[in-house]
Each structure stands twice: as C-alpha cells, then as structure tokens.
C-alpha cells in the first residue's frame, strides 16, 4: 500500500514537473525585439520608424564587452555612449558580451562588477525601468561549468535581485546539446551557423543545412527560448573580390518555419540582429512582417 | 599614484565603430618610405624624459614613467611653488581624463556627481592655467589650458589661443602638443586641409586616418596633389594607397590572410594603373621634393599588378634618384624583392642572396629600436621569394625557413618526410661549404633532442618501431616534462593504450580542474609503447591458433588507441584536433587495426570472435579510409531540400554488425554489446530490413 502511494506521488510530481517545464516557456511574453550592437546609442529616423512600424517592445542593447586584459583579468571594453534615448514604450535590456577566454578560470567578483557597472550606467544616463540583463558568451564544453557558476553568481547577487528580475543568456546552436544554463530564458542565436572558410559551399551566416542537425534538440531543451534571426550583412575581401554575405529572405523564413514546427513557442519572442539603417533597407517590409509573425 | 600623461586628442577623435574588429594579418608592407614613429609615442617619451631630469633621476632606464608624487616631492624640495601648483592642477586634469577612461574601460563607471565634478574641475583648472600663461612655466600651463578647452569642447577658443599666443612660444614638446590640439580643433571646426598638413608634419598617423578615411582613392590623392604638390600629407596618402594595393594583390595570391586589415581599401587594377601613370607625371613635373618616393611607388604598383619587366626598369631608375636615407633603403629592398622573385636558380643567385641577407641583417642591427621595417622585409622576402625558390630542395628549404624569420609561411619541420628530416639534422651538424650555407648555418639554432624526438615520432607514425626506438632512446624523459603542455602530460598519463576503445572511452572528467595541476612523466611513455608493440609484432610469427588471434586483437587495440582518432592521440601528436587526418608518409593505424581484427574474427573462440566483430563496427576506425561509408549516413539532397538517410549494406561497418547480429541474435547477452547505442540502432533497422 505504502509503495503504491509513493508511486502515485512520484507520478504526480513527474506530471507536475513536466507541466511546469512547458508552462515555464510562457515566461517570455509575445513580442518583437532587436539587438543594438553599435558603440553609440543614436538612432536615425529610419531606425526610429522601424521600431514603431514593427511594434518593437524590447531592445537588447550591448552596453559593453568584457575581454581579458594583458594582466590576465577581465575588463570592460567598447562601452556604449548614450547620445539618444529610446521611446518610453520600449524596454531596454542591457546586454554584455563576454569573451569565452574570460571563463577559462574563475574571476572572483566578476559577476558583481558587471551588475554594478550596468546599474551605474543606468543611473548615470537616466535609463529607467530596466528589469533584465542578458549575457552573451560563446561558451564551450571547456568553459561551460565556469560560465554557469558565473551566471548563478549574477542571479544570486543582492545587487541583481534588488534591481533586476530576469537574467537571460544567448544560446548558440551548438550549445543546445549541452546542459541548459541557469537563467530565466535563452536567446537562441540562429546565425553564424556556418564555417566562414567554406563560404562558397554554404552561407556562413545562415544555411538551413547547418541548422538541421540541431533541430532535434529544440523540443526537449528545458529553457524558454526567444529566437534571434540575422538581418545583417557581412562583407569580406576574399581573393581580391568583395564578398557580401547576406541571407536571402526565403532562407530566413524557411529556417524560422523549421524551428517553429519543431518548437511552437519559438514564435513567441522574436529578435532580429541587428538594428541598423542598412539592415532595415536590406529586406522588404513584407519580409520583416513575416520574420516577426507570431 | 602612478599616471602617464596622455594626450586625449586620440580618444576624442576616434571613429564611431562597431564593437568587433578583425585581427591583423602578417603580410608586411614593403612600401614604407619614411620612418614611422608615431607622434604620441614621441612626445610621451620626451615629456617623461623632462620629468626624469627635473626630479634628478640619473638611472639609465630607457623608459621613465611620470610619477606625480615624485615630481611634487622634488618640487617642494626645490621650493618651486609654481611647479607644485602646476602638478597639482595637472593631477586634477588627469583625474578628469580618467573619468572619460573609466566610462570606456574601467569597472567603476562614473556617477552623475562625478561627471558634474569633472566639468567643474575642468573649468577650475582652465581658469588656473590661463592665469599662468605668462609665468616661468608658460608652455606647460598653456598646454594645460588647451587640454581643458579640448575636453570642454571649446575648440574655437583653442584656435584663437594658439594663433594669438601659443604659436609665439619657444619650441618645446609642450608646444608640439599644443599644436596637435590646435590641429584637432581645426578639424573639429571644419578646416580639414589645414588640420591634415599639421597632422602630417607631426607624424600623427591616427589622426590622419580619421581625417582622410574617405579620401584615399587615386582621384582624391591626385586632387590633393593638384592643390599642393608638396603637401606633407602626400607621403602618408601615397603609402596608404600603395599598401592597400599590396593588400589587394596579396588577397588574390593568397598571401594576405583570409580577412584583410582593418582599414583596407580595395585597389583594383584600373585604379592602380591610373596611379602608376600619375606617379610618372609627378616625377616628370618636378614639383615634388621626393621623386624617389613616387618612382618606387610606381615600380612596386607595377610589380603588384604583374608588370614585372617595367617594375625592374623603374625600381632601378628609382635607386638613382635623390631621397632620404630611408627612401634609398626602401628602394634597395624593393629592388631585392622585385629582382629576387624573378631570378633563376644557381650559385650566382645563392651568393647574391647571401650578400643581400647580410645587408638586411646589418640594417636590422642598425635600426634595432626602429619601426621593425627590416625585420618585416626579411619575413616577407623569406615567405614570398625564398621559400618558393627553394621548394624543390627540402633540406635547403628547411634551412631557409628555420634560419630566417619565416613566421606565417606555414612551414613546419613536421611536414618533412622522415628521410629528409634525418638529412636535415645531418646538414645542421656539418661544416658549411658555400657562402649561402655559411650564412644559413650561422643563423640556425636547432635543438638536436627536439629533432630526434620528431624523427622518432615520425617512425612511430610509419609503424617502424625499431627505428623509432633507436631515436627515442636518445630523448630523456625530462624533455617531455619540460617541453610538453600540462594538458599533453595529463592526457598521456591517464589514458592507457591497452583499453579497448570500442568498449570503453577514456573520458576526462573536466570538473576536477586537472589542467591546474602539475603532471610529470616518470617513465618514457612513447618508448614503452614502441617496445611493447614491437615485441608483440615480432612474436606474431611464432604464434598460432587462439594465441595468434588474441595477439591480433590486442594489437588492434593498441593501433586503434594510437591512431589520431584514438584516446592515446598523444603517442603520435603533440595535440588533438578533430580536423586532423592521416597525413602523407603516415600509416593509417585505423586501417591497420581493421586488418588485425579481421584475423581475430576468424577465431573459433566465440567470445573473441564477438569482441572482434563488435570492434569492427567501431566507426572511428574508418574515419580516414577514402570512399568508405558508415553503415548509416545522412546526406543533403538538393532535390528534396532535406537531409536523407542512406544505408550502405556493403560498408565494412554494416558487414561487421550484420555478422555480429547473426552471431548473437537480436538479444545479445554481452553487456558491452547491449550498451552500444549505435548497434541498437542497427538492430532496429536490421530487424526490419534483413
């Protein structure tokens, strides 16, 4: 009798966990977002119009990078200046890109320093109502353990809990096969999927064939995920020829469809990388409508 | 408190950029007609030397750093009240500058109050400095005044102050710095041409790049010349153009790395031809004060665009024209490069090269603390001229690469076959007979132990264990402990070659931070492996029946482990790369393992037979076999726009799994077989597709 009771309780808890896993995906509200990746927050009229036209309600704004200094300690770099402000209706999400080598060893207090710096930048520049921080790092199996400890340290720091309520991180496709990071949700970077050296065979920014092997991880990935799609151009000079890597609109939409058919809630929160006049003009409004279609 | 005096102009004038930048490449520029000593480092050095003299520091250190506390102490001892107040205000100004630095690079981002205080302090220091511009330290105070104005955005005031007051001061480094700030103010207020002249006079290359970033085309340079044929900015603009043309040419020949330099402009053949003609016009017009520069620019552009005969004529003509010593050296270098790349092989060429390399070494010594031009010439000349020239003579090629600075050439002793490597070692240890050999051997510094280790390892890769043992016997254990990475030593200590890789992968637990600990070899692991395998192979012919089959199986284990896809990759390589493949002059140890397993499979011992069949299903054995598929593989179908799965029933892996299935049935008893997920997939497929 006792055994059967335990079994029922166990099954009930398992069912609850399963429900919880799927309901936790709803932590991400339906909405449209962009990354802002320049060193000065200054929007021209086309960019402002884009924000309004596509009902952008979040801007993931790169505040600064964290790189390894010559002295072997991580330090901020390429900090953004705030020449402009965003409309009140748009939530700004401070985003910090941290190079992977910073996670090759533990740096005591790094998490606290980053949160403190973000908070100070907000105060100094009169940026209000910020509730989330996003960390971007191309972590590997070598750096994963330290990176996750670092993320835990951020979310548990008193400064974070008193000023912010959400922590997110970018997830690259190859990271889907790893244990999920300890954050509220991930922003799935659906770009830079190919090998730049094999550019003649596949578009290094995005190619469905490179995305395909990762699709199988999507449904079981235990974190809520926002989907970030590329709208940027990458120009290189290869063997004397200027090569512009741009993803065809059809390819973006094909990948989007494949992603969402594997995991429906990927259509909930859509981000484009990145806000820039040239990127806006690169695609027709109809394409943007489709990318931002929920 | 330690602080450098810095010129903030650069920070104030930086271009708005994206957060990411490309790394540089090593295709060094050969057109560098002037010694590039940047303004910033020049004035910083003079300022610091002045401080050093003031505090009476007689140390012979070449570089002194400004320590405000030391200067204040010295000033107080000298009862120099004016200097005390100057340094105190300079401290205040530097604190204001550091607020800007903190915004960019420090963890402590400034608060609103700190920014307000910064503005307040700047104004106070400015007022103080303005009041002292007629004092004994007028130049220093005037500079401080202009710096404050610059930080406060008062560019018009700086223009007025320079033109009416500071330009009359005596020549000092402080006046140079004021002039630089003045040039920046001209730029900020739209007087770009004047600013450009001043920046060029001062060798302020960072500011020139900011100023002329969009004005570096042939047309822009021509227009610039038309306005002022002796413009100080022209050498910089011409150099930038020619170097960009080199960058474009290198990209075509593959000599320029994959991504190019940060400020690259594409110069196509048409634009290069226009510039070549224009260079000739400039030389003929006679308005320029440095015709040699234009003539050698023309020659180098011709060479880069494939007009090699014209390039020889023009560079010879250039060497006869007047110019600075550096320009003459530059023409000499270009003559060497242009003629050297077209020369025929032979003793005469070797002797010529020996003389020229001696000349280059002499220049390197003469300009030891210079801008590195002659070192970079040597690098490019080695990679682009000498290496192709001697590529059919592996010993000479190795000697050239090792004696000269061949960084970036991609040459590695490891690429030589073992016979050539042995000959090369002999070459390095015998006396030279020709002029060129004498030069090379004087510059070779080979370590015989490193060479022996490499030769021994190469014999291991050929499975010639007796030769490998002979060479590795001369390599002490301490060599590995001193010359291998912590990672290498750790992997080589914990990974065993007698573990069956198809049954047990020797994963490393990365949660234990093993890379932070020291590891040392107590035994010669490579030598032990060679001796063990040699002994096992030597006795093969004496065995038969089950003993022979078991021996074959055990040898297969060792071959598989030592292969580049095995856990004991450290036996044949110094590091593991998933991109690695079996190279030419190497035995495919995966294939060798397969051959041994095929003998073991014939065993009448059921257990051994099953183990061998299971092992033959191990996909890592087939990674380097050309044209061999796995039993199941995915391939992208252009028609279906989708990945499709294929099954190759003739693949060795399929055949092995099939025989194993026939042997064990659908429910194998052996735990190692049941645990294999790949075999489970095979069973699932095979059940339905027998």
């Amino acid at each position: 009798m006792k055994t059967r009771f335990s079994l029922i309780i166990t099954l009930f808890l398992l069912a609850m966990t399963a429900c919880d896993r799927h309901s936790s995906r709803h932590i991400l509200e339906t909405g449209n977002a962009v990354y802002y990746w320049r060193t000065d927050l200054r929007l021209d009229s086309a960019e402002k119009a884009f924000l309004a036209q596509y009902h952008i309600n979040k801007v993931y704004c790169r505040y600064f990078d964290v790189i390894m200094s010559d002295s072997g300690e991580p330090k901020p770099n390429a900090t953004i200046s705030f020449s402009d402000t965003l409309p009140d209706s748009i939530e700004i999400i401070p985003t910090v890109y941290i190079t992977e080598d910073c996670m090759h060893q533990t740096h005591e207090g790094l998490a606290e320093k980053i949160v403190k710096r973000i908070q100070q930048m907000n105060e100094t520049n009169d940026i209000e109502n910020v509730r989330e921080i996003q960390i971007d790092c191309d972590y590997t199996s070598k750096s994963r353990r330290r990176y996750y400890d670092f993320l835990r340290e951020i979310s548990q720091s008193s400064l974070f809990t008193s000023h912010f309520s959400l922590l997110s991180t970018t997830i690259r496709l190859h990271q889907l096969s790893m244990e999920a990071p300890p954050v509220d949700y991930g922003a799935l970077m659906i770009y830079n999927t190919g090998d730049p050296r094999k550019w003649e065979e596949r578009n290094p920014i995005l190619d469905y064939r490179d995305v395909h092997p990762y699709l199988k991880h999507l449904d079981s990935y235990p974190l809520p995920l926002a989907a970030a799609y590329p709208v940027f151009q990458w120009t290189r000079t290869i063997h004397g020829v200027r090569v512009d890597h741009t993803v065809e609109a059809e390819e973006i939409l094909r990948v989007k469809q494949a992603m969402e058919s594997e995991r429906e809630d990927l259509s909930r929160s859509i981000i484009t990388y990145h806000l820039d006049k040239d990127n806006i003009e690169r695609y027709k409004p109809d394409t943007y409508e489709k990318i931002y279609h929920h | 408190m330690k602080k450098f005096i810095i010129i903030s102009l650069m920070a104030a004038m930086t271009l708005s950029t994206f957060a990411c930048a490309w790394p540089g490449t090593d295709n060094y520029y050969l057109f560098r007609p002037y010694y590039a000593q940047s303004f910033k480092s020049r004035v910083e050095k003079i300022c610091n030397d002045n401080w050093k003299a003031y505090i009476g520091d007689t140390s012979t250190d070449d570089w002194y750093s400004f320590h405000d506390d030391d200067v204040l102490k010295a000033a107080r001892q000298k009862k120099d009240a004016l200097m005390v107040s100057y340094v105190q205000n300079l401290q205040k100004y530097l604190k204001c500058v550091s607020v800007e630095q903190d915004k960019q690079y420090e963890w402590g981002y400034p608060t609103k109050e700190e920014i307000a205080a910064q503005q307040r302090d700047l104004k106070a220091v400015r007022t103080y400095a303005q009041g002292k511009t007629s004092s004994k330290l007028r130049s220093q105070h005037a500079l401080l005044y202009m710096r404050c104005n610059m930080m406060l955005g008062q560019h018009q005031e700086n223009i007025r102050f320079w033109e009416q007051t500071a330009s009359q001061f005596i020549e000092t480094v402080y006046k140079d710095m004021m002039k630089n700030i003045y040039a920046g103010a001209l730029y900020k207020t739209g007087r770009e041409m004047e600013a450009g002249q001043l920046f060029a006079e001062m060798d302020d290359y960072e500011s020139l790049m900011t100023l002329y970033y969009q004005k570096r085309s042939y047309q822009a340079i021509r227009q610039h010349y038309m306005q002022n044929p002796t413009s100080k900015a022209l050498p910089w603009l011409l150099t930038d153009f020619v170097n960009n043309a080199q960058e474009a040419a290198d990209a075509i020949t593959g000599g320029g790395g994959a991504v190019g330099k940060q400020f690259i402009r594409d110069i196509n053949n048409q634009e290069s031809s226009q510039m070549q003609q224009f260079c000739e016009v400039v030389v003929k017009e006679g308005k320029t004060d440095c015709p040699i520069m234009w003539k050698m620019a023309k020659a180098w552009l011709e060479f880069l665009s494939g007009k090699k005969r014209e390039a020889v004529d023009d560079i010879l003509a250039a060497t006869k024209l007047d110019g600075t010593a550096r320009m003459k050296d530059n023409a000499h270098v270009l003559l060497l490069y242009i003629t050297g790349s077209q020369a025929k092989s032979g003793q005469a060429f070797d002797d010529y090269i020996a003389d020229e390399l001696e000349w280059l070494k002499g220049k390197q010594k003469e300009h030891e603390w210079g801008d590195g031009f002659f070192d970079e010439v040597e690098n490019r000349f080695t990679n682009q001229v000498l290496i192709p020239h001697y590529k059919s003579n592996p010993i000479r090629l190795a000697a050239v690469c090792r004696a000269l600075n061949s960084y970036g050439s991609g040459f590695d002793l490891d690429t030589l076959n073992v016979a050539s490597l042995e000959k090369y070692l002999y070459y390095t240890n015998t006396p030279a007979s020709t002029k060129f050999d004498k030069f090379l051997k004087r510059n070779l510094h080979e370590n015989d132990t490193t060479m022996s280790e490499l030769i021994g390892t190469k014999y291991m890769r050929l499975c010639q264990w007796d030769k490998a043992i002979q060479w590795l016997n001369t390599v002490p254990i301490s060599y590995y402990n001193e010359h291998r990475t912590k990672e290498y030593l750790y992997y080589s200590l914990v990974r065993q070659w007698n573990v069956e890789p198809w049954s047990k992968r020797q994963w490393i637990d990365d949660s234990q931070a093993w890379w932070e600990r020291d590891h040392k070899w107590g035994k010669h692991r490579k030598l032990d492996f060679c001796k063990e395998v040699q002994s096992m192979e030597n006795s093969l012919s004496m065995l038969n029946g089950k003993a022979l089959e078991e021996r074959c199986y055990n040898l297969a284990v060792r071959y598989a482990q030592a292969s580049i896809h095995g856990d004991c990759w450290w036996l044949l390589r110094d590091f593991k790369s998933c991109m690695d493949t079996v190279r030419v002059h190497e035995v495919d140890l995966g294939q060798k393992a397969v051959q041994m397993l095929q003998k073991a499979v014939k065993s009448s011992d059921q257990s051994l037979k099953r183990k061998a069949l299971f092992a033959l299903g191990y996909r890592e054995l087939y990674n380097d076999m050309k044209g061999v598929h796995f039993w199941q593989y995915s391939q992208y179908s252009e028609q279906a726009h989708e990945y499709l799965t294929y099954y190759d029933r003739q693949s060795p892996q399929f055949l092995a799994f099939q025989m194993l299935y026939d042997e064990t049935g659908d429910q194998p008893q052996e735990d190692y077989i049941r645990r294999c997920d790949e075999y489970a997939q095979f069973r699932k497929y095979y059940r339905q597709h027998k």
Side-chain angles (χ1 to χ4, degrees), chain A residues 136-153:
Chain A
D136 175 22
C137 178
D138 188 2
Y139 59 92
T140 62
S141 53
K142 185 177 179 184
S143 48
R144 177 180 54 83
R145 190 173 57 89
R146 284 207 167 85
Y147 183 58
Y148 288 9
D149 288 346
F150 160 79
L151 290 172
R152 267 183 219 103
E153 214 181 308

Side-chain angles (χ1 to χ4, degrees), chain B residues 300-523:
Chain B
W300 186 228
L301 287 172
E302 283 167 339
F303 180 81
L304 294 170
S305 55
K307 293 186 263 182
K308 297 192 174 176
R309 195 176 48 77
E310 293 91 327
V312 172
D313 294 343
D314 279 316
I315 196 62
L316 279 168
T319 55
K320 294 182 184 95
L321 295 172
D322 281 339
T324 62
R326 172 57 176 260
M327 285 178 188
K328 284 180 172 291
D329 282 344
N330 199 162
H332 187 142
V333 160
L334 289 174
L335 177 65
L336 166 66
Y337 194 95
I338 290 170
T339 55
S341 63
Q342 302 172 65
K344 290 199 172 103
S345 298
Q347 190 65 44
F349 177 74
D350 289 353
D351 289 348
Y352 166 67
I353 291 301
D355 288 340
E356 287 299 296
L357 289 174
E358 287 290 6
W359 174 81
L360 210 47
K361 290 281 179 199
K363 285 286 167 190
Q364 286 169 5
K365 208 169 172 190
E366 190 185 324
H367 300 278
E368 198 176 355
W369 304 106
D371 58 0
F373 176 58
F374 297 101
D375 303 274
E376 293 174 6
V377 166
E378 181 188 296
N379 180 289
R380 187 176 170 98
F381 185 65
T382 305
N383 292 344
Q384 307 277 324
V385 178
L386 295 182
I387 290 178
H389 191 89
Y390 293 111
K391 69 179 175 198
S392 58
N393 180 345
I395 310 305
R396 175 57 60 78
L397 177 70
V400 164
C401 290
R402 304 284 289 180
L404 296 166
N405 181 6
S406 71
Y407 170 73
S409 70
F411 177 83
D412 186 343
L413 275 182
D414 201 359
T415 58
L416 289 184
N417 66 34
V418 71
S420 297
L421 207 52
E422 282 180 292
K423 281 184 198 158
Y424 175 66
L425 181 59
Y426 176 76
Y427 169 85
T428 61
N429 288 310
T430 47
S433 53
T434 68
K435 196 191 257 188
F436 195 29
D437 280 338
K438 277 180 191 157
F439 170 83
L440 292 173
K441 290 188 184 192
R442 251 199 323 279
N443 289 283
L444 278 174
H445 309 286
E446 296 295 5
N447 177 334
D448 284 358
T449 309
T450 302
M451 296 286 291
S452 300
E453 208 285 329
L454 184 56
I455 294 171
T457 304
K458 280 188 164 282
Y459 276 119
M460 286 179 76
R461 294 176 194 162
L462 291 166
C463 297
Q464 293 183 25
W465 311 112
D466 48 345
K467 289 274 186 83
I469 290 166
Q470 185 190 323
W471 284 97
L472 291 176
N473 252 330
T474 66
V475 182
I477 294 171
S478 58
Y479 175 82
Y480 294 93
N481 290 332
E482 286 160 18
H483 291 83
R484 292 294 179 265
T485 61
K486 277 183 182 178
E487 285 88 344
Y488 177 91
L489 290 170
Y490 181 71
Y491 273 86
S492 61
L493 285 169
V494 298
R495 291 210 164 157
Q496 307 304 322
W497 56 69
N498 57 356
V499 175
E500 295 149 275
W502 32 83
S503 306
K504 185 184 175 191
R505 293 305 302 266
Q506 299 178 63
W507 300 118
I508 300 293
D509 178 6
D510 69 354
S511 65
Q512 298 304 309
W514 47 265
W515 53 84
E516 288 168 4
R517 294 194 294 267
D518 277 331
H519 310 283
K520 299 280 181 210
W521 277 13
K523 287 178 174 178

Side-chain angles (χ1 to χ4, degrees), chain B residues 78 109-111 148 177 229 259 265 280 334 363 373 386 480 520 527 553-554 564 568 585 604 629 634 656:
Chain B
K78 292 180 183 184
Y109 192 86
T111 61
C148 292
M177 290 155 84
V259 292
R265 259 194 80 245
E280 193 58 44
L334 289 174
K363 285 286 167 190
F373 176 58
L386 295 182
Y480 294 93
K520 299 280 181 210
L527 200 52
Y553 181 81
N554 289 330
I564 53 171
C568 299
H585 314 304
S604 53
H629 284 132
S634 287

Side-chain angles (χ1 to χ4, degrees), chain B residues 231-284:
Chain B
S231 162
K232 305 284 185 208
L234 278 170
W236 183 85
L237 283 167
L238 184 64
T239 303
D240 177 79
F241 182 94
V242 175
N243 291 338
N244 277 322
Q246 181 187 313
E247 196 80 58
D250 282 346
I252 293 166
T253 57
V259 292
K261 289 198 168 75
Q262 194 174 1
F263 293 115
I264 188 169
R265 259 194 80 245
D266 258 344
I267 309 285
N268 60 27
N269 259 338
Q270 189 195 356
E271 196 177 2
S272 172
S273 287
Q274 288 170 327
M275 182 57 96
Q276 289 161 33
Q277 287 163 25
F278 180 65
C279 286
E280 193 58 44
V281 170
V282 172
V283 173
K284 281 187 178 149

Side-chain angles (χ1 to χ4, degrees), chain A:
Chain A
M1 183 65 187
K2 197 176 171 187
T3 314
R4 191 193 292 174
F5 179 72
S6 303
L7 183 68
I8 291 167
I9 290 291
T10 310
L11 287 172
F12 175 74
L13 286 174
L14 276 172
M16 287 296 287
T17 314
C19 291
D20 185 51
R21 204 187 76 197
H22 283 97
S23 66
S24 73
R25 290 182 177 182
H26 297 289
I27 197 164
L28 271 170
E29 298 145 13
T30 301
N32 297 343
V34 290
Y35 276 107
Y36 188 87
W37 220 251
R38 299 202 297 256
T39 50
D40 187 11
L41 182 61
R42 187 195 297 263
L43 303 177
D44 69 11
S45 55
E47 291 162 350
K48 283 178 184 162
F50 181 89
L51 296 178
Q53 186 178 351
Y54 298 101
H55 310 290
I56 303 297
N57 60 353
K58 283 182 187 175
V59 171
Y60 292 86
C61 181
R62 193 199 62 85
Y63 268 33
F64 54 92
D65 298 341
V66 178
I67 59 167
M68 283 298 280
S69 65
D70 293 340
S71 65
E73 283 301 315
K75 59 166 238 180
N77 192 45
T79 303
I80 196 169
S81 304
F82 295 94
S83 299
D84 227 336
T85 54
L86 292 172
D88 287 343
S89 60
I90 294 178
E91 179 185 355
I92 190 166
I93 297 167
T95 302
V96 174
Y97 170 68
I98 179 159
T99 57
E100 195 256 350
D101 58 347
C102 292
M103 292 294 140
H104 287 182
Q105 54 181 302
T106 306
H107 297 285
E108 212 172 310
L110 177 62
E112 181 85 8
K113 282 177 187 167
I114 289 176
V115 178
K116 200 171 167 185
R117 195 167 202 265
I118 292 170
Q119 179 53 24
Q120 190 57 59
M121 286 174 73
N122 288 340
E123 275 180 29
T124 302
N125 296 289
D126 292 323
I127 299 166
E128 292 173 350
N129 303 320
V130 179
R131 59 187 187 119
E132 179 183 340
I133 289 176
Q134 182 167 105
I135 308 290
D136 175 22
C137 178
D138 188 2
Y139 59 92
T140 62
S141 53
K142 185 177 179 184
S143 48
R144 177 180 54 83
R145 190 173 57 89
R146 284 207 167 85
Y147 183 58
Y148 288 9
D149 288 346
F150 160 79
L151 290 172
R152 267 183 219 103
E153 214 181 308
I154 288 186
S155 57
Q156 288 163 8
S157 80
S158 55
L159 195 62
F160 180 85
T161 51
S162 58
H163 289 92
F164 306 94
S165 53
L166 281 176
L167 177 66
S168 60
T169 184
T170 49
I171 310 274
R172 284 148 181 87
L173 291 179
H174 73 87
Q175 292 160 343
L176 283 173
S177 58
M178 299 180 197
E179 179 193 325
V183 290
D184 295 298
Y185 74 90
L188 188 62
M189 284 171 53
I190 310 164
Y191 47 88
N192 297 343
T193 55
D195 183 343
R197 291 167 302 182
K198 297 179 181 166
W199 62 278
E200 283 174 302
E201 296 162 35
R202 296 187 185 184
N203 189 322
I205 298 179
L206 184 67
D207 189 305
Y208 171 71
R209 290 169 291 177
D210 290 320
V211 174
H212 179 271
Y214 300 100
L215 292 176
K216 62 177 182 277
H217 297 295
L218 280 176
D219 190 48
S220 58
Y221 197 71
L223 266 187
L225 289 173
Y229 294 100
V231 290
F232 62 94
Q233 184 178 60
W234 182 21
T235 303
R236 297 194 290 166
T237 300
I238 302 169
H239 300 306
V241 179
R242 181 189 154 106
V243 178
D244 293 328
H245 299 299
T246 314
V247 189
E248 295 289 330
E250 291 72 28
E251 190 70 3
I252 301 173
L253 297 173
R254 182 177 175 215
V255 170
K256 176 177 156 75
Q257 190 190 15
M259 307 287 287
E260 289 172 5
S261 63
E262 286 294 324
R263 179 164 165 153
E264 203 181 335
D265 64 337
L266 274 174
S267 67
R268 184 180 287 273
S269 176
I270 311 277
I271 315 169
T272 55
Y273 181 90
H274 54 98
L275 181 66
D276 188 85
K277 189 184 170 198
D278 292 340
N279 295 339
I280 293 168
E281 289 167 358
R282 182 160 298 117
Y283 298 100
K284 292 176 189 162
D286 179 53
T287 302
Y288 276 109
E289 292 288 353
K290 285 176 180 162
I291 293 173
Y292 282 122
H293 180 74
H294 300 284

